[in-house]
């Protein structure tokens, strides 16, 4: 077999495997319009031995946005929608708001965060090379390598694992920092309360 034909066959085989993997992982994930739960994030900064640990809770409403509430060590709230990103530092603290129509790069960041939290593997596949495996009867692990030039400047790899939900995300940055986010107490209820709905509606 000629080298070019052999290479083409290998590439087609890899593409088919990736497509099957994405399909299988999507089949294992719960198709939930709303997920809320708790998180613990450990960020290891290059040059520092002790990781920075933060804990809190989050709400993902697929058609509205994401609320990311850090409770410790400092209170803050990040509100992410398809059109904007807002942040508030505690009660009466500093706040800022970014509009994706004025910040083109923000739309890509928002899409990435939505996809990571929701386990939207099909969307991630548009910007990453997807590799991984199924684990046991319900689990899965994925390694994402950026194919998008902008994301490749920030991330070396993103690793995800879970079952019916995303349970862990590991972000390896090009500058040497690493963040590991663990998700727990995941549920599809209750729906957003008045305060949450107001934040997501901004």
């Amino acid at each position: 077999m000629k080298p070019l034909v052999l290479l083409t066959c290998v590439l087609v085989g890899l593409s088919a495997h990736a497509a099957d993997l994405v399909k299988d992982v999507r089949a294992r994930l719960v198709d939930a319009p709303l997920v809320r739960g708790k998180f613990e994030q450990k960020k290891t900064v290059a040059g520092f031995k002790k990781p920075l640990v933060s804990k809190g809770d989050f709400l993902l409403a697929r058609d509205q946005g994401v609320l990311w509430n850090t409770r410790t060590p400092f209170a803050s709230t990040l509100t992410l929608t398809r059109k904007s990103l807002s942040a508030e530092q505690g009660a009466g603290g500093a706040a800022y708001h970014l509009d994706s129509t004025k910040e083109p790069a923000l739309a890509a960041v928002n899409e990435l965060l939505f996809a990571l939290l929701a386990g939207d593997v099909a969307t991630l596949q548009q910007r990453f090379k997807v590799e991984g495996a199924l684990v046991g009867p319900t689990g899965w692990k994925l390694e994402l390598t950026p194919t998008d030039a902008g994301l490749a400047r920030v991330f070396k790899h993103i690793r995800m694992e879970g079952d019916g939900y995303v349970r862990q995300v590991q972000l390896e940055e090009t500058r040497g920092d690493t963040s590991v986010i663990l998700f727990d107490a995941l549920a599809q209820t209750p729906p957003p309360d008045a305060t949450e709905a107001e934040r997501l509606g901004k």
Side-chain angles (χ1 to χ4, degrees):
M1 184 178 289
K2 294 182 178 180
L4 180 58
V5 175
L6 177 60
L7 176 60
T8 301
C9 291
V10 170
L11 292 176
V12 169
L14 290 174
S15 178
H17 173 72
D20 288 343
L21 177 63
V22 169
K23 181 180 178 181
D24 290 340
V25 171
R26 291 178 68 185
R28 293 191 171 194
L29 285 161
V30 174
D31 184 17
L34 181 147
V35 177
R36 60 167 76 240
K38 298 179 180 180
F39 71 85
E40 177 181 273
Q41 178 173 342
K42 294 182 179 180
K43 185 176 180 68
T44 302
V45 179
F48 293 84
K49 291 184 179 180
K50 193 173 182 179
L52 305 173
V53 180
S54 59
K55 299 180 180 181
D57 53 80
F58 75 96
L59 165 65
L60 166 65
R62 191 165 57 193
D63 295 332
Q64 296 173 281
V66 176
L67 292 179
W68 190 265
N69 301 304
T70 300
R71 306 297 183 182
T72 60
F74 306 104
S76 66
T77 297
L78 180 70
T79 304
L80 181 71
T81 71
R82 300 289 181 182
K83 298 180 180 179
S84 66
L85 182 150
S86 302
E88 298 178 24
Q89 299 292 327
Y96 65 85
H97 178 84
L98 298 175
D99 189 329
S100 62
T101 60
K102 299 177 182 178
E103 303 281 347
L106 181 61
V109 173
N110 283 12
E111 181 183 60
L112 172 61
L113 293 176
F114 264 94
L116 288 174
L117 288 172
D120 186 350
V121 189
T123 295
L124 293 170
Q125 193 179 28
Q126 297 173 15
R127 298 178 181 272
F128 294 87
K129 175 186 176 183
V130 179
E131 299 175 293
L134 302 180
V135 181
T138 61
W140 50 267
K141 292 185 177 182
L142 296 177
E143 178 169 322
L144 313 176
T145 304
T147 54
D148 177 278
L151 291 174
R153 286 194 289 270
V154 180
F155 299 109
K156 290 174 62 178
H157 300 286
I158 297 178
R159 294 181 173 88
M160 304 172 63
E161 60 183 79
D163 41 41
Y165 298 98
V166 177
R167 299 288 180 177
Q168 177 175 312
V169 174
Q170 179 176 325
L171 308 169
E172 295 185 13
E173 301 178 30
T174 54
R175 62 183 181 181
D177 297 352
T178 300
S179 296
V180 178
I181 309 171
L182 302 175
F183 300 101
D184 191 21
L186 302 175
Q188 299 180 42
T189 57
D193 60 27
T195 300
E196 292 171 332
E198 181 182 5
R199 288 184 180 278
L200 291 171
K202 290 182 179 180

